Amino acid sequence: TSLLRFLIRLLARHRCSSVRMRFMSLAADCTFVMRVINPEGMYDATERLYSHARVQNGTLYVSGQVGRYRHGDVVGPDIESQTRRAFENVETILAAVDEDLTSVAKVTSYFTDIESDFTAYKRVWGETFAEPYPAHTAIGVEALATPELCLELDVEVPLGE
């Protein structure tokens, strides 16, 4: 925003066409620096006051994805079904920016029962990703936003924008 204000002042002072052309080019670039991603086919994140993902400065930041269907219900009580659905949700978001799971650089996984669930989770992880695997952090937490959830995933993807 401060860059945009600077350019507007610069354009006002110097009315030459080359400055105007540079300003228009930079302003066009600025419109794509931040983009909100809420794909069709996913539960409505805006009801919960967040976005499923956001592109900013060439990186896709995916909000915590969980094992929810489009209508918002949790897929089931087990870690495998919730993990599969959470990664399907991530794939839907990635498709909205013309990417796929091979582009994922980092995953942070939050578990409500990491000791019991980690082995089954890693089995689904192995079916979801191939080498080279994304960077991964697994964290045990006391609770997630909804009591029936046992897993939440945060994902980061560098984009070629």
Side-chain angles (χ1 to χ4, degrees):
T1 352
S2 58
L3 174 64
L4 207 48
R5 275 184 255 157
F6 169 77
L7 291 171
I8 290 169
R9 284 194 303 266
L10 182 66
L11 183 60
R13 277 190 222 137
H14 305 282
R15 301 210 184 267
C16 70
S17 61
S18 65
V19 171
R20 202 167 309 144
M21 293 288 277
R22 277 188 230 130
F23 170 76
M24 292 174 77
S25 173
L26 284 169
D29 290 344
C30 287
T31 60
F32 293 102
V33 170
M34 195 279 293
R35 186 168 42 137
V36 171
I37 311 294
N38 283 314
E40 292 290 322
M42 293 189 67
Y43 54 92
D44 186 4
T46 60
E47 287 180 3
R48 294 177 176 91
L49 305 177
Y50 73 96
S51 302
H52 281 293
R54 172 179 176 144
V55 175
Q56 190 158 350
N57 298 326
T59 301
L60 175 70
Y61 298 96
V62 178
S63 293
Q65 293 302 305
V66 297
R68 286 191 193 278
Y69 290 116
R70 174 188 172 97
H71 48 76
D73 290 343
V74 176
V75 296
D78 63 291
I79 188 68
E80 286 193 44
S81 63
Q82 288 192 26
T83 301
R84 285 182 207 291
R85 185 62 199 189
F87 279 124
E88 288 169 10
N89 292 342
V90 169
E91 285 182 287
T92 299
I93 293 166
L94 291 170
V97 294
D98 297 320
E99 296 288 343
D100 60 32
L101 289 169
T102 61
S103 303
V104 172
K106 172 88 169 89
V107 177
T108 303
S109 306
Y110 301 91
F111 299 86
T112 56
D113 189 355
I114 194 167
E115 286 185 28
S116 297
D117 292 343
F118 194 68
T119 301
Y121 168 82
K122 286 306 273 189
R123 191 170 33 254
V124 176
W125 172 278
E127 297 167 8
T128 304
F129 294 105
E131 289 189 46
Y133 299 110
H136 183 237
T137 302
I139 301 170
V141 297
E142 188 172 317
L144 295 169
T146 306
E148 57 268 2
L149 294 173
C150 51
L151 168 81
E152 186 166 331
L153 305 173
D154 284 341
V155 177
E156 294 180 25
V157 181
L159 302 174
E161 293 187 353

